[in-house]
Amino acid sequence: MKIFIAALCLFIVQIMIILFLEHRCPQRAVVWIFLSFCCPPLGLLIYYFLGRDYRQSRKVKARAAETRRGLHNYAAERSRLITRAKDTGNLELSGCEDLLRLLNRLSESPVTGRNASRILLNADEAYESMLEAMESASEHIHLEVYIFRDDGIGERFQDVMIRKARQGVKVRLLCDGLGSHKLGRRFLRPLTGAGVETHFFLPMLASLFGRRINYRNHRKILVVDGLVGFTGGINIGDEYLGKDPKMGFWRDTHLRLEGDAVYFIQNVFLKDWRLVSGERLSHPRLFPVHTCEGREGVQMISSGPDGEIDANEAMIFGAICAAESRVWIASPYFIPDPAILRALKNAVLRGADVRIMIPAKPDSALVYNASLSYVDHLLEAGVKFYRYRKGFMHAKVWIADGLLASVGSVNMDMRSFYSDFELSAVLLHPQRIEELAGQFRRDLEDCEAIDPGVFRNRGKLARAKEEICSVLSPLL
């Protein structure tokens, strides 16, 4: 009896601690209470290592603020900032000034007007464009990815980085400590030997004992000479070229940028570099005056657990609320928070065509089952879901009317919104928005629509798995 009472007291203490620390995020509190109930002796220990709020570190706060102040000035001084919707060249956005004001207040990066973008469909096109840009480098190459593989395409990038470093180009490589944990000394030694500076964001052991293993750098960035930038959904690995027999064809979207927006991609990289290496890079040569003649409106939105605002989640929410005719989303993972769920339902009630494309072949059973629980709720509200059957859908694309479209690393899930360091490009030019919409229509030809009646009749076991995964979804 005494053991039972002690265990009960321990459980109550765990619940009280979790409720006190997680009262601002009820979804996370529910998950941790559920885990504590399932394994009372270990619940608090697991929470200790995985549940720490990243923002609690004074060192992180101070360093991030210091870096933001210095770098933002370089970027802003050299850019054409857009504060009026009519200056974007998007007539549809001209009737939605509130959305532009929201965008400009969300991020350290404002909307800029001197840009030229190119949409890169799938990894073969993206890699060739990235490698071509790296070959042309004369000053520096800054590469930041979540996953970097020691495989065929990884060796191609390795070869270019080594060669350019030996030519005197400053090459910096930043990889996530979890996503790239298989990248070993055999691969890294030639890079460092040639002068390539390499760092890992929160390596496995350091992040575990630093109680930050739940926070990952999911950004995909390449900046060459401060004049050409890339971002999107593509990491460095052969699976992105469709060479993984399990996943097959890999559908993805990346973006090549020139102009003002590159300054702010550079800004994000240098901030991350400072955070990981401790080295402050702020030379004006990192932000050279560009000669881009493009007139596209573009905004780079970075977000992460170190930010005061969940900027990408707020951007998506604002765009959905502003949309009147269409909200089209492609995402490999679909675990929206309550605000996004309500916004999608309201968009349907307003008469908008809401379509969401997810993979038919998942790379994570847990995440996929959690996604299906949300599909169930939204199908009843009139949202249309499509499962991509040609291969694995990994593109992260959002389209709201003709107002804006977004390409980046952000998935439609709570991990991307709150726990991961992410970057997305908001495109305001009508031509780019329609180009992405046209590709979305073509992708629909390789999809199977989820029939609400058939989906509703799936078995009880499937429903049970989905609901359990749904409870855990804020941590997935």
Side-chain angles (χ1 to χ4, degrees):
M1 179 61 71
K2 291 181 179 179
I3 295 176
F4 174 77
I5 293 174
L8 180 61
C9 290
L10 176 61
F11 178 70
I12 292 172
V13 169
Q14 288 184 169
I15 300 304
M16 290 175 64
I17 292 173
I18 290 169
L19 289 174
F20 176 76
L21 295 175
E22 298 290 346
H23 68 280
R24 294 182 181 178
C25 187
Q27 300 99 327
R28 282 172 56 91
V30 169
V31 176
W32 289 116
I33 291 172
F34 175 76
L35 291 175
S36 294
F37 180 79
C38 292
C39 49
L42 299 177
L44 196 58
L45 182 64
I46 297 172
Y47 180 76
Y48 177 83
F49 282 106
L50 299 183
R52 183 187 184 189
D53 188 344
Y54 193 93
R55 296 180 177 91
Q56 290 175 355
S57 171
R58 293 182 181 179
K59 182 179 178 182
V60 167
K61 285 182 178 179
R63 183 175 288 180
E66 176 189 0
T67 308
R68 280 196 296 267
R69 285 193 296 269
L71 297 177
H72 184 273
N73 292 336
Y74 282 128
E77 288 169 0
R78 290 162 172 75
S79 302
R80 175 178 172 241
L81 308 184
I82 300 293
T83 58
R84 299 181 301 177
K86 67 178 183 179
D87 294 333
T88 64
N90 185 333
L91 295 178
E92 192 166 333
L93 188 62
S94 297
C96 200
E97 292 281 352
D98 289 348
L99 180 59
L100 182 64
R101 281 195 293 271
L102 171 69
L103 294 175
N104 272 320
R105 292 175 181 176
L106 278 181
S107 172
E108 302 161 16
S109 166
V111 177
T112 59
R114 294 185 303 162
N115 301 285
S117 65
R118 178 184 164 199
I119 295 168
L120 304 169
L121 298 175
N122 302 319
D124 50 356
E125 185 177 355
Y127 288 154
E128 293 307 317
S129 184
M130 293 167 71
L131 290 166
E132 180 183 1
M134 291 169 66
E135 291 281 8
S136 70
S138 59
E139 286 280 342
H140 62 265
I141 295 171
H142 292 162
L143 180 59
E144 176 177 345
V145 290
Y146 176 65
I147 295 173
F148 200 120
R149 303 283 193 205
D150 180 359
D151 56 19
I153 191 62
E155 289 177 358
R156 286 189 64 189
F157 275 85
Q158 179 197 47
D159 178 66
V160 174
M161 286 189 287
I162 290 172
R163 189 156 21 88
K164 299 307 291 187
R166 287 174 176 165
Q167 293 172 10
V169 175
K170 198 65 177 176
V171 182
R172 299 180 176 95
L173 173 63
L174 178 58
C175 303
D176 183 76
L178 177 63
S180 301
H181 72 279
K182 294 182 179 179
L183 208 57
R185 293 181 181 177
R186 187 192 71 84
F187 187 87
L188 295 172
R189 191 178 294 112
L191 289 170
T192 55
V196 177
E197 295 184 48
T198 304
H199 285 281
F200 286 85
F201 182 91
L202 291 179
M204 291 285 286
L205 287 177
S207 60
L208 177 62
F209 291 106
R211 297 162 56 200
R212 291 197 180 95
I213 198 168
N214 198 41
Y215 301 104
R216 309 315 319 173
N217 191 322
H218 196 240
R219 292 167 181 154
K220 291 85 174 166
I221 290 173
L222 172 63
V223 179
V224 176
D225 291 347
L227 296 172
V228 180
F230 294 81
T231 193
I234 299 175
N235 291 293
I236 310 298
D238 281 348
E239 67 265 38
Y240 292 83
L241 293 167
K243 295 183 178 181
D244 183 343
K246 179 182 176 182
M247 302 309 296
F249 177 74
W250 193 287
R251 172 71 189 88
D252 222 319
T253 303
H254 220 61
L255 192 68
R256 182 187 189 276
L257 286 158
E258 294 182 46
D260 299 337
V262 179
Y263 295 146
F264 293 94
I265 302 176
Q266 181 83 295
N267 197 6
V268 173
F269 177 88
L270 296 178
K271 184 179 71 172
D272 290 346
W273 188 261
R274 163 79 164 141
L275 183 65
V276 173
S277 71
E279 181 183 11
R280 184 189 306 166
L281 301 172
S282 59
H283 198 283
R285 291 176 68 175
L286 296 169
F287 299 88
V289 176
H290 69 77
T291 58
C292 177
E293 298 180 355
R295 289 295 179 266
E296 298 180 32
V298 177
Q299 182 183 27
M300 305 308 303
I301 296 187
S302 63
S303 60
D306 61 339
E308 296 299 325
I309 299 174
D310 301 309
N312 273 295
E313 190 264 355
M315 176 270 290
I316 294 164
F317 178 80
I320 294 172
C321 290
E324 295 180 354
S325 61
R326 71 180 176 193
V327 176
W328 292 356
I329 299 169
S331 177
Y333 315 118
F334 184 75
I335 303 176
D337 67 1
I340 297 292
L341 277 172
R342 175 52 57 192
L344 290 169
K345 291 179 180 179
N346 287 349
V348 173
L349 292 174
R350 293 195 304 271
D353 175 25
V354 181
R355 305 184 183 197
I356 299 174
M357 191 183 305
I358 60 175
K361 181 188 295 184
D363 64 340
S364 169
L366 279 174
V367 175
Y368 188 65
N369 279 298
S371 297
L372 292 181
S373 70
Y374 292 95
V375 170
D376 194 11
H377 296 304
L378 289 173
L379 280 173
E380 294 178 3
V383 175
K384 301 169 187 173
F385 279 88
Y386 301 84
R387 284 190 273 214
Y388 187 79
R389 305 198 67 85
K390 186 177 178 180
F392 182 55
M393 168 55 69
H394 192 255
K396 302 102 164 46
V397 175
W398 328 78
I399 303 167
D401 290 357
L403 297 170
L404 61 81
S406 175
V407 175
S409 63
V410 185
N411 295 306
M412 177 68 98
D413 63 8
M414 284 182 266
R415 166 161 289 282
S416 273
F417 292 159
Y418 307 130
S419 299
D420 286 347
F421 292 79
E422 304 281 10
L423 180 66
S424 60
V426 177
L427 307 179
L428 303 177
H429 195 276
Q431 183 178 341
R432 293 294 167 265
I433 296 170
E434 193 48 45
E435 188 177 346
L436 287 168
Q439 183 57 46
F440 191 94
R441 295 187 191 96
R442 288 188 288 275
D443 287 335
L444 285 177
E445 297 174 4
D446 295 312
C447 289
E448 171 191 56
I450 297 180
D451 183 277
V454 175
F455 191 75
R456 198 176 298 118
N457 291 326
R458 67 199 186 284
K460 292 182 179 179
L461 180 59
R463 287 176 179 270
K465 287 193 299 184
E466 292 166 14
E467 291 305 322
I468 292 173
C469 292
S470 178
V471 172
L472 297 173
S473 62
L475 299 183
L476 296 179

